[in-house]
Amino acid sequence: MLTKRARCGLLFAATLLLSACTVVDLDASGQPIIPKDPSVKQGYRDQTAQQIAEATWQSRVLAEADSHALSWADMKVRSSTVKAGTSDSLFVRATGTVTAVSAASERERIVTVTLNGEAVPVAVGPVIRSNAIRDAAGFRFEEFTNQVQYAQLTRALNRHAVKQLPPVDESWVGKQVQLLLAVTLQTNKVQDVVAVSLKQEQP
């Protein structure tokens, strides 16, 4: 038999528990709808790679290139600072002359451009096998759900870049061109060069 004091104590505890409860709405399947914590960074986890590429092309790719693109000469100097066994990706703005358009593979076309006296192979797609654009734009693995989504972004950005490029054929040989490039460097070496924009200079 509970004493009067014990009964009062239980009643007080029950009152506290009820007052601490929060009413939560339920979804159509009867599951509680829990609002997202506004302090949690959502990143790109709820978007497809193609959505991310299209939404961030201006703000993260072109804006980064406009702010930090190096000249070809400065990029070559930068390559000497890359630690052995690592790589670095950045944007480069350059002007050169087209000397060849590769027809070896219609899927992975290469335009050779002479930059500062150096013949540089530039990937123009439609298939591009390089992380240069993604890494030069500063996307980080921790912004994504997993390695698969991170790799898918590479392909989505490359496809989006190709859509911005004009069709390049043999008629471009000998023409002066302006280029915005995503370049991946190793120690004193250029590993990949990908066209972000490419246009002929006006005569």
Side-chain angles (χ1 to χ4, degrees), residues 44-150:
Y44 300 112
R45 292 172 175 81
D46 299 327
Q47 300 179 53
T48 67
Q50 192 61 40
Q51 288 172 330
I52 298 168
E54 293 173 0
T56 62
W57 185 256
Q58 183 67 44
S59 62
R60 291 197 65 166
V61 177
L62 297 184
E64 177 68 19
D66 284 341
S67 300
H68 298 105
L70 301 180
S71 67
W72 187 261
D74 287 342
M75 180 275 297
K76 296 301 289 287
V77 173
R78 173 79 166 263
S79 70
S80 66
T81 68
V82 179
K83 294 181 180 179
T86 68
S87 62
D88 185 20
S89 295
L90 44 79
F91 291 110
V92 173
R93 197 177 299 279
T95 300
T97 303
V98 176
T99 55
V101 178
S102 170
S105 171
E106 286 299 316
R107 299 292 295 162
E108 299 182 47
R109 292 174 68 82
I110 298 294
V111 174
T112 302
V113 182
T114 299
L115 300 174
N116 288 16
E118 178 181 357
V120 178
V122 179
V124 294
V127 175
I128 296 174
R129 304 182 190 278
S130 171
N131 297 327
I133 297 177
R134 183 196 69 189
D135 294 347
F139 288 98
R140 301 180 307 280
F141 173 71
E142 57 267 26
E143 295 177 88
F144 301 89
T145 303
N146 50 39
Q147 185 64 44
V148 173
Q149 190 191 31
Y150 195 45

Side-chain angles (χ1 to χ4, degrees), residues 9-54:
L10 287 174
L11 181 61
F12 179 71
T15 302
L16 284 177
L17 286 173
L18 287 173
S19 65
C21 292
T22 301
V23 177
V24 176
D25 293 331
L26 303 179
D27 63 17
S29 60
Q31 298 300 312
I33 300 173
I34 301 174
K36 294 182 178 180
D37 182 349
S39 67
V40 175
K41 184 178 181 181
Q42 298 303 316
Y44 300 112
R45 292 172 175 81
D46 299 327
Q47 300 179 53
T48 67
Q50 192 61 40
Q51 288 172 330
I52 298 168
E54 293 173 0

